[in-house]
Amino acid sequence: MNLKFCQATPDDIDEIVRLDSSAFEFPWTREDFLGSLKFGHSFLLLKEGQTLLGAAVYMQIFEQSELLTIAVDPNHQGKGYGKLLLNEVIARLAANRAEILFLEVRVSNHRALSLYKGLGFKEISRRKGYYPTHDGREDAIVMQKDLVNA
């Protein structure tokens, strides 16, 4: 297995959009990803050879950081790639002196919640009706991880 991490370029956007669309019922749009890239958010890709396995988008402002989105190709889920990708994001943020990492997750996304809790994220609040669903809205759980004492 030849796994590697790399930064995204505008040439990667179509592949990232494809991955995100296959992983989520309500994915980011192409414009969302392009805007995020233009705004200077960090894009971390996990590839095996030329195959995109996962992607994470995050940002840091001084000591605070936020995971904006993370996805693993459904054909490759359950193999630990999400954990590998998130651990790399955490390591890069910590190396860049980030102290706290925030994220939001759907209350129904039990797989992601399990991953985040296993990596030391703690629930700090909820956002009522944050995410769209097919028949209304769903709450988001806001979580944080202390990167200094991790």
Side-chain angles (χ1 to χ4, degrees):
M1 206 169 6
N2 183 19
L3 296 178
K4 66 179 178 186
F5 293 106
C6 55
Q7 298 295 323
T9 68
D11 293 340
D12 295 309
I13 293 297
D14 289 337
E15 196 174 4
I16 294 168
V17 170
R18 180 204 54 76
L19 181 143
D20 202 62
S21 295
S22 69
F24 294 115
E25 202 170 358
F26 296 92
W28 279 24
T29 65
R30 188 172 199 282
E31 291 71 30
D32 291 334
F33 283 108
L34 285 171
S36 202
L37 191 64
K38 183 178 180 183
F39 198 70
H41 297 155
S42 298
F43 281 61
L44 185 64
L45 306 181
L46 175 61
K47 292 185 174 186
E48 181 176 24
Q50 295 303 309
T51 304
L52 180 61
L53 302 176
V57 180
Y58 59 99
M59 59 181 271
Q60 181 179 350
I61 300 174
F62 300 108
E63 73 281 352
Q64 295 190 359
S65 58
E66 183 175 355
L67 181 68
L68 302 173
T69 189
I70 185 169
V72 172
D73 186 308
N75 296 322
H76 298 282
Q77 289 178 359
K79 300 177 182 176
Y81 295 142
K83 184 176 183 179
L84 190 66
L85 187 57
L86 187 50
N87 274 329
E88 183 66 18
V89 167
I90 289 167
R92 290 177 182 221
L93 286 166
N96 201 36
R97 295 195 167 92
E99 296 177 5
I100 298 173
L101 175 57
F102 295 97
L103 60 82
E104 288 107 6
V105 59
R106 288 178 179 270
V107 294
S108 64
N109 193 341
H110 303 292
R111 195 177 208 170
L113 279 165
S114 177
L115 170 65
Y116 301 145
K117 287 177 184 174
L119 291 176
F121 283 84
K122 306 285 187 225
E123 179 176 339
I124 58 167
S125 67
R126 292 193 178 215
R127 296 184 199 272
K128 297 287 181 204
Y130 186 76
Y131 288 110
T133 65
H134 286 295
D135 55 1
R137 309 285 301 173
E138 175 178 17
D139 292 355
I141 296 174
V142 180
M143 303 183 88
Q144 81 173 38
K145 178 174 174 64
D146 180 349
L147 303 180
V148 176
N149 299 312

